[in-house]
């Protein structure tokens, strides 16, 4: 059974750092594009960053609001994608979700359960 499990969320002060992890099992994770999304109360879910498949061109893409502060990376051996978050701001507070997707005649699309990030003093 395909599964994504996020971890690493928590409470951090403004200016601090956190690293989120997304561990996959039950499918060929390394062939999927993986993204981190977030959703704050009252807001729509938005893309934070994504990264290409392990065998692809290794592209990365960031939302303008996090560019230069967040870094997405993947460890193929561990079937894990990370989101390193630096210089956190209160507006980064949200539930962060991991997503994996691949198109093979149809879309294969998996979501994790989310991990809460709260930036507050």
């Amino acid at each position: 059974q395909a599964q994504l499990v996020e971890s690493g969320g928590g409470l951090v002060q403004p200016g601090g750092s956190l690293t989120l992890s997304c561990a996959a099992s039950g499918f060929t994770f390394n062939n999927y594009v993986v993204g981190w999304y977030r959703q704050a109360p009252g807001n729509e879910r938005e893309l934070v960053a994504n990264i290409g498949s392990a065998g692809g061109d290794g592209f990365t893409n960031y939302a303008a609001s996090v560019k230069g502060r967040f870094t997405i990376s993947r460890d193929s051996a561990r079937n894990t994608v990370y989101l390193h978050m630096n210089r956190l701001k209160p507006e980064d507070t949200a539930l962060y979700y991991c997503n994996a997707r691949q198109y093979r005649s149809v879309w294969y699309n998996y979501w994790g359960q989310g991990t809460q990030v709260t930036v507050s003093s």
Side-chain angles (χ1 to χ4, degrees), residues 29-33 51-58 74-76:
F29 183 64
N30 291 333
N31 292 345
Y32 284 63
V33 172
I51 187 167
S53 61
D57 62 8
R74 69 189 305 159
D75 183 335
S76 300

Side-chain angles (χ1 to χ4, degrees), residues 63-80:
S65 59
V66 307
K67 193 172 292 186
R69 299 188 297 123
F70 291 10
T71 303
I72 189 169
S73 63
R74 69 189 305 159
D75 183 335
S76 300
R78 289 183 164 80
N79 281 349
T80 301

Side-chain angles (χ1 to χ4, degrees), residues 87-117:
R87 304 198 307 276
L88 283 160
K89 304 176 181 180
E91 51 264 43
D92 294 319
T93 296
L95 190 59
Y96 283 69
Y97 296 91
C98 179
N99 169 266
R101 59 181 172 87
Q102 182 190 44
Y103 183 77
R104 287 182 283 125
S105 300
V106 296
W107 280 105
Y108 291 80
N109 196 29
Y110 304 113
W111 289 93
Q113 82 290 348
T115 185
Q116 178 68 38
V117 172

Side-chain angles (χ1 to χ4, degrees), residues 17-77:
S17 300
L18 278 176
T19 295
L20 306 183
S21 300
C22 171
S25 62
F27 64 106
T28 312
F29 183 64
N30 291 333
N31 292 345
Y32 284 63
V33 172
V34 178
W36 283 99
Y37 291 75
R38 67 186 181 187
Q39 187 168 19
N43 290 355
E44 293 186 354
R45 191 172 297 189
E46 62 175 356
L47 176 66
V48 176
N50 56 10
I51 187 167
S53 61
D57 62 8
F59 82 88
T60 57
N61 177 56
Y62 298 91
S65 59
V66 307
K67 193 172 292 186
R69 299 188 297 123
F70 291 10
T71 303
I72 189 169
S73 63
R74 69 189 305 159
D75 183 335
S76 300

